[in-house]
Amino acid sequence: MSVVIATRGRPTLLRRAIASILAQTTKVPLEIIVVFDQVEPDPLADVDVGDGRFLLGIRNEHSTGLAGGRNSGIGRARFGFVAFCDDDDEWKPEKIERQLALAAAVPDAVVIASGIRIESHGGSHIRLAPETTTLGDLLESRITELHPSSFLIRRHDLESRLGTIDENIPGSYGEDYDLLLRAAKLGPVVAVPEPLVIVHWDRASFFSEKWESIVGGLSYLLEKHQEFDRTSRGKARIQGQVAFAYAALGQVKDARHWASATLRNDRRQLRGYAAYAIASRLLPAGLIVNAINSRGRGL
């Protein structure tokens, strides 16, 4: 089992994530590949690894950012399964054991995920992903319960039919969603219906309020995945996020253009109305984002 953690400048949180992975109940050999992006690698000499566990710190050898960092780790992976963990998240001890059992039960699964527990300023929130997710489901909704810190993928799929993380996505925004969309075109995306990952939303993310990356990343995904044209509701959801980001940037003309496209596709899409409100200076973007995050939801 190979686990990839892409990190930059968060040594205390990183060690917490590593400790949770080393504490896994699984008996299979386990290696943790920590990829340091835009910072000097930390030797991690103070970490007690234990028997049957391996810890490796490397530089990001690909493009800077999350996508390149994960691909650097994938390239160094030695075992048959690859998992991801964000450097500020944690795993419950039984995560890998439960997921390997599900992988054995559903051998054609392309991604094996799990439920999550979100820790935010508004408290704890349990989010259980569907046991099986289809491409149609993902076009309709990002399904944020399918969090990248829960992903388990066969290495030969990453090296062949699925492919690695798309490094062309601007700012790496939505790279996990892109991976899920590609996976669902190949076979089942399944999840253990238990909250086996603790996702911390009680501190700033590297993507927090990076509106340019949201605009670029989501616009890229709309062009890349033409299947969004099949569902006006799903397309409106992405368009509404782009409209919201443009409004937050103060780019009123673009915000109104995307908000109009959003509501043409789905009059019930609240992001379109929110974008109009922000562009008209009736509401600040930060207030809305904080309210959503406090409930364990994403934009």
Side-chain angles (χ1 to χ4, degrees):
M1 169 66 57
S2 300
V3 185
V4 175
I5 306 176
T7 189
R8 184 175 82 236
R10 301 202 278 199
T12 301
L13 298 178
L14 171 63
R15 281 163 171 76
R16 184 183 66 184
I18 291 172
S20 75
I21 297 167
L22 293 173
Q24 291 297 295
T25 57
T26 182
K27 302 302 181 185
V28 302
L30 190 154
E31 67 174 355
I32 303 171
I33 305 166
V34 181
V35 184
F36 293 90
D37 182 45
Q38 303 175 57
V39 294
E40 285 297 311
D42 182 335
L44 301 168
D46 58 311
V47 178
D48 183 10
V49 177
D51 295 335
R53 304 288 196 256
F54 308 92
L55 180 60
L56 174 67
I58 65 172
R59 296 178 186 273
N60 180 5
E61 300 165 347
H62 288 250
S63 59
T64 60
L66 187 56
R70 285 182 174 156
N71 283 341
S72 290
I74 292 167
R76 297 292 292 271
R78 296 181 297 155
F79 294 109
F81 282 93
V82 176
F84 303 129
C85 185
D86 288 351
D87 63 359
D88 57 345
D89 293 337
E90 298 176 80
W91 288 359
K92 299 292 288 295
E94 64 275 18
K95 175 187 182 289
I96 290 299
E97 189 172 3
R98 294 274 200 277
Q99 287 184 298
L100 288 176
L102 181 57
V106 189
D108 60 337
V110 185
V111 173
I112 301 97
S114 77
I116 59 177
R117 188 181 90 217
I118 297 171
E119 295 293 337
S120 73
H121 291 299
S124 295
H125 310 273
I126 300 295
R127 301 285 184 250
L128 300 182
E131 293 189 31
T132 302
T133 298
T134 67
L135 176 60
D137 296 330
L138 287 165
L139 292 171
E140 289 284 310
S141 170
R142 164 60 183 85
I143 310 182
T144 54
E145 294 84 355
L146 290 168
H147 191 278
S149 287
S150 78
F151 291 1
L152 180 69
I153 305 170
R154 291 175 175 85
R155 182 161 61 92
H156 68 75
D157 281 341
L158 288 165
E159 295 173 343
S160 57
R161 60 174 184 157
L162 177 59
T164 54
I165 313 302
D166 187 345
E167 296 182 37
N168 293 317
I169 300 176
S172 290
Y173 187 84
E175 43 75 37
D176 54 328
Y177 187 29
D178 171 70
L179 188 67
L180 285 172
L181 289 166
R182 288 189 280 132
K185 295 175 189 181
L186 299 173
V189 172
V190 299
V192 178
E194 301 174 47
L196 300 178
V197 174
I198 303 169
V199 176
H200 291 277
W201 281 6
D202 49 359
R203 57 183 49 82
S205 158
F206 284 136
F207 283 126
S208 178
E209 298 186 3
K210 288 194 174 180
W211 302 115
E212 293 92 347
S213 293
I214 293 175
V215 166
L218 293 182
S219 300
Y220 177 93
L221 292 184
L222 276 179
E223 287 222 15
K224 178 177 180 178
H225 298 280
Q226 296 296 310
E227 292 86 354
F228 277 111
D229 289 335
R230 300 177 189 171
T231 165
S232 58
R233 179 183 172 189
K235 189 170 186 177
R237 177 178 55 83
I238 303 294
Q239 290 171 323
Q241 290 174 284
V242 174
F244 190 105
Y246 269 127
L249 285 168
Q251 298 184 25
V252 174
K253 183 177 179 180
D254 288 322
R256 289 176 174 166
H257 168 78
W258 281 86
S260 176
T262 299
L263 297 176
R264 280 198 305 272
N265 277 315
D266 184 3
R267 300 295 297 180
R268 299 167 298 175
Q269 179 48 253
L270 296 180
R271 294 177 182 88
Y273 297 106
Y276 274 126
I278 295 165
S280 301
R281 298 186 178 179
L282 299 175
L283 285 172
L287 180 66
I288 297 174
V289 171
N290 290 337
I292 293 171
N293 285 347
S294 70
R295 291 170 174 78
R297 297 292 182 184
L299 175 62

